[in-house]
């Protein structure tokens, strides 16, 4: 068997190109030139002996072999980065306050924070769950070191680390979506999940009413579980006993929202930097690549 050795930088470039959909953005993110990224992808194809991309005009599409390599690349890169952080993390200690809505605390962060604790055993993370708008104020005042929030229309700054698809959800046996007006379980006014839900129904000329308002995802889920209402959450929050309601059942499609990662200007400790960088990396890496076959811009 003719063994080959894959450069970790090639795998990182592959993941970033698929994630961003752009060779130009990957070059900017990784601090390389665009030709250098293109050469890395070409070299990866040569080493694997497989065609990883196919051209569709000025865009690239992952082939079946490309999807396979991507899946393994993500696992390899995760283990590689965990090893590097483990070797470098033993002397880093301190306390970091992380703020995030309970939706992300419950469904998105547990696996990442679990690995982080193993990699940085001497860093204590204090979790502060609140809605996105007040959290941005807290992190800018320095009361929270790092915040992972949903981008609202008036937010400035922050780093986009993930895009989450919004979906309609209701109880597994619920027919609430068939009622008119449609009963809704929503976050309080001023939240973009709520704004998108109402605006989407208004554009589709569908009548609606508020059946539940809750700052907690648990309250929204309770209303949905009971068959009282339809709610809008990120697809990552879809749990057993709830189901997604799509266009084939009469509800219009919803957009994606952007997740922003903020770091307080006063959070200068190595512990805060370690958590911020870890979240930024793994939230991007773990983002569901629903468009694994989606086109990639060559520009």
């Amino acid at each position: 068997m003719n063994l080959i050795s894959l450069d970790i930088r090639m795998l990182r470039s592959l993941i970033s190109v698929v994630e961003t959909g752009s060779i130009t953005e990957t070059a900017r993110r990784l601090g390389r030139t665009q030709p250098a990224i293109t050469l890395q992808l070409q070299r990866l194809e040569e080493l694997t002996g497989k065609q990883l991309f196919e051209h569709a005009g000025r865009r690239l599409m992952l082939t079946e072999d490309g999807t396979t390599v991507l899946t393994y690349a993500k696992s390899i890169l995760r283990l590689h980065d965990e090893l590097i952080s483990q070797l470098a993390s033993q002397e880093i200690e301190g306390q970091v306050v992380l703020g995030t809505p309970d939706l992300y605390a419950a469904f998105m962060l547990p696996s990442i924070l679990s690995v982080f604790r193993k990699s940085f055993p001497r860093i204590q993370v204090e979790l502060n769950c609140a809605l996105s708008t007040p959290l941005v104020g807290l992190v800018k005042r320095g009361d929270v070191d790092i915040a992972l929030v949903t981008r609202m229309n008036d937010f400035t700054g922050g780093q986009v680390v993930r895009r989450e698809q919004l979906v309609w959800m209701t109880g597994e046996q619920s027919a609430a979506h068939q009622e008119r007006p449609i009963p809704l379980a929503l976050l309080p006014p001023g939240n973009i999940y709520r704004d998108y839900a109402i605006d989407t129904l208004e554009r589709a000329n569908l009548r609606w009413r508020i059946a539940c308002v809750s700052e907690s995802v648990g309250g929204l889920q309770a209303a949905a579980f009971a068959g009282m209402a339809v709610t809008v959450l990120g697809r990552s929050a879809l749990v057993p006993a709830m189901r997604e309601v799509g266009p084939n059942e009469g509800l219009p499609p919803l957009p994606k929202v952007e997740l922003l990662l903020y770091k307080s200007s006063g959070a200068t400790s190595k512990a805060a930097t370690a958590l911020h960088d870890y979240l930024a990396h793994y939230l991007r890496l773990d983002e569901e690549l629903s468009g694994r076959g989606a086109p990639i811009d060559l520009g």
Side-chain angles (χ1 to χ4, degrees):
M1 182 177 180
N2 188 18
L3 296 177
I4 61 174
S5 179
L6 301 180
D7 191 321
I8 199 73
R9 291 170 295 183
M10 296 178 187
L11 301 182
R12 196 181 298 277
S13 293
L14 172 68
I15 292 170
S16 181
V17 165
V18 175
E19 177 188 340
T20 63
S22 168
I23 290 178
T24 300
E25 174 60 20
T26 292
R28 186 195 66 78
R29 181 179 291 185
L30 299 183
R32 306 294 301 276
T33 64
Q34 185 175 333
I37 298 298
T38 301
L39 286 173
Q40 283 187 336
L41 297 180
Q42 292 173 347
R43 181 57 177 157
L44 186 57
E45 287 189 322
E46 293 173 3
L47 288 172
T48 59
K50 303 292 183 182
Q51 182 181 351
L52 306 183
F53 295 95
E54 56 188 7
H55 288 267
R58 280 184 49 78
R59 294 179 176 271
L60 296 176
M61 300 278 290
L62 270 181
T63 63
E64 184 175 348
D65 286 328
T67 300
T68 300
V69 173
L70 174 68
T71 300
Y72 280 96
K74 290 171 65 179
S75 298
I76 292 168
L77 194 61
R78 180 189 292 274
L79 290 171
H80 171 273
D81 289 348
E82 285 176 10
L83 173 60
I84 296 302
S85 65
Q86 178 69 29
L87 294 175
S89 66
Q90 296 302 318
E91 300 305 317
I92 300 179
E93 60 183 355
Q95 182 170 344
V96 185
V97 180
L98 170 63
T100 192
D102 64 345
L103 172 65
Y104 304 141
F107 299 105
M108 197 175 293
L109 292 181
S111 61
I112 298 176
L113 291 178
S114 176
V115 175
F116 178 81
R117 289 189 63 196
K118 294 176 183 177
S119 298
F120 296 87
R122 300 176 68 177
I123 296 179
Q124 297 177 339
V125 178
E126 178 184 323
L127 198 59
N128 183 336
C129 291
L131 295 178
S132 294
T133 297
L135 277 174
V136 171
L138 290 173
V139 77
K140 289 185 175 180
R141 290 199 304 269
D143 296 327
V144 166
D145 297 312
I146 297 166
L148 175 68
V149 301
T150 310
R151 181 200 288 276
M152 303 298 166
N153 291 328
D154 59 345
F155 282 8
T156 59
Q159 177 184 1
V160 178
V161 290
R162 187 178 175 116
R163 290 171 178 84
E164 178 83 346
Q165 178 64 56
L166 298 184
V167 297
W168 303 100
M169 297 183 193
T170 192
E172 200 168 40
Q173 305 301 321
S174 171
H177 60 287
Q178 297 175 351
E179 298 180 23
R180 294 296 181 272
I182 301 170
L184 299 177
L186 299 175
L187 293 164
N191 186 279
I192 203 164
Y193 279 46
R194 178 191 180 102
D195 294 344
Y196 277 143
I198 293 174
D199 182 63
T200 301
L201 293 178
E202 292 281 356
R203 289 175 181 272
N205 294 315
L206 291 172
R207 294 184 300 122
W208 56 273
R209 66 180 178 86
I210 300 296
C212 170
V213 176
S214 174
E215 292 189 355
S216 165
V217 65
L220 303 180
Q221 288 179 319
F225 285 142
M228 294 171 51
V230 177
T231 190
V232 171
L233 295 172
R235 183 169 279 145
S236 63
L238 190 60
V239 296
M242 290 186 73
R243 66 186 183 90
E244 182 177 337
V245 183
N248 61 325
E249 295 183 85
L251 293 185
L254 291 158
K256 292 183 178 181
V257 294
E258 291 184 332
L259 273 62
L260 298 178
L261 191 64
Y262 284 88
K263 184 182 178 187
S264 171
S265 59
T268 58
S269 69
K270 289 184 178 180
T273 298
L275 179 59
H276 174 273
D277 293 350
Y278 211 86
L279 289 173
H281 175 71
Y282 282 103
L283 284 166
R284 287 198 187 101
L285 192 62
D286 286 344
E287 180 172 0
E288 180 183 1
L289 299 172
S290 57
R292 281 183 178 178
I296 296 166
D297 192 346
L298 290 171

